[in-house]
Amino acid sequence: GESVGLHLPTLSVQEGDNSIINCAYSNSASDYFIWYKQESGKGPQFIIDIRSNMDKRQGQRVTVLLNKTVKHLSLQIAATQPGDSAVYFCAENRAGGGADGLTFGKGTHLIIQP
Amino acid sequence: GAVVSQHPSRVICKSGTSVKIECRSLDFQATTMFWYRQFPKQSLMLMATSNEGSKATYEQGVEKDKFLINHASLTLSTLTVTSAHPEDSSFYICSAVRDRSTDTQYFGPGTRLTVL
């Protein structure tokens, strides 16, 4: 069936380096994609989002890239800090618009090495 | 703004009892709220969509008679796990949408349910 998935379950990076977390999706009708950060025992925290009519969107230290041709989404975190350690989920809007329940990817655990 | 709270944050109950979890949007009105469930080391799975003043829409495989959802006001949705069993032990997370046209879902801190 259609799903959103991640290539790597765990990513370990050195503090100060850039991190890239990848996500593949299969529903070509998806219109809206979001990255969430989840710390242990807490709810997901919104990081950044992007719509299907965009290829790139930048926030503070984060950039999301969307490649609709290969149905690929990535989250780039610049100059990673210890506080970036968490599980990162990509999510998609199933209906292609409007406020519908999200389909989440499996998650990538980002580990920051000192 | 866009703060969502949940109560309780953690609950332990005996098998066969019912547990109510509240989800509140603190600084905005939410016409739509969502309930997700997350098992350890897994992703979030959508359980149901809760619309103010109407019946909830449940995802396939989610028992509506077991997971009762009430969205009585624009700031409150409740999830009641009826006749809870150990396999219902999970992390239950709600989210709320301030404006359907903007899509952004704001998540609550989650409720850890442990059924003994």
Side-chain angles (χ1 to χ4, degrees):
Chain A
E2 296 172 328
S3 65
V4 177
L6 290 169
H7 296 304
L8 298 173
T10 301
L11 178 63
S12 182
V13 299
Q14 292 290 126
E15 182 178 349
D17 287 351
N18 297 334
S19 302
I20 300 177
I21 302 172
N22 296 301
C23 178
Y25 66 95
S26 57
N27 186 354
S28 58
S30 291
D31 176 70
Y32 178 58
F33 303 90
I34 317 98
W35 281 101
Y36 286 95
K37 172 186 180 183
Q38 186 180 30
E39 297 175 323
S40 181
K42 297 183 179 180
Q45 177 186 351
F46 174 89
I47 301 174
I48 193 168
D49 59 2
I50 189 168
R51 293 193 175 276
S52 60
N53 61 352
M54 301 173 68
D55 297 322
K56 178 180 180 179
R57 191 163 186 225
Q58 289 184 292
Q60 187 176 14
R61 277 203 309 122
V62 295
T63 301
V64 55
L65 299 177
L66 175 63
N67 186 330
K68 296 179 286 294
T69 302
V70 295
K71 299 188 183 67
H72 185 266
L73 192 70
S74 69
L75 176 69
Q76 300 178 3
I77 304 174
T80 49
Q81 304 167 358
D84 294 329
S85 291
V87 178
Y88 290 81
F89 292 97
C90 64
E92 66 174 309
N93 183 303
R94 299 175 302 159
D100 294 295
L102 299 173
T103 299
F104 280 81
K106 294 182 180 179
T108 292
H109 186 192
L110 179 63
I111 299 172
I112 310 302
Q113 303 280 3
Chain B
V3 178
V4 177
S5 70
Q6 285 184 237
H7 177 80
S9 58
R10 187 180 294 267
V11 58
I12 300 173
C13 69
K14 294 182 179 180
S15 184
T17 61
S18 294
V19 174
K20 180 186 284 188
I21 302 170
E22 293 185 348
C23 176
R24 292 181 185 273
S25 55
L26 298 185
D27 52 0
F28 66 100
Q29 293 184 328
T31 55
T32 304
M33 290 183 172
F34 301 91
W35 287 97
Y36 296 82
R37 179 168 52 184
Q38 185 179 31
F39 292 107
K41 305 295 184 182
Q42 295 189 24
S43 188
L44 284 77
M45 296 295 293
L46 178 67
M47 298 176 66
T49 301
S50 172
N51 293 298
E52 188 267 337
S54 63
K55 290 184 178 180
T57 303
Y58 291 81
E59 294 299 299
Q60 191 172 10
V62 178
E63 301 174 57
K64 62 178 67 176
D65 294 331
K66 181 170 183 61
F67 299 99
L68 301 179
I69 292 173
N70 187 340
H71 195 152
S73 75
L74 287 172
T75 60
L76 173 64
S77 176
T78 60
L79 168 68
T80 301
V81 183
T82 62
S83 186
H85 292 283
E87 57 265 30
D88 298 323
S89 298
S90 187
F91 195 47
Y92 291 87
I93 309 171
C94 72
S95 70
V97 175
R98 172 161 44 190
D99 181 346
R100 291 183 72 94
S101 66
T102 62
D103 295 338
T104 303
Q105 293 190 21
Y106 299 94
F107 282 82
T111 296
R112 174 74 60 193
L113 170 63
T114 303
V115 184
L116 303 178

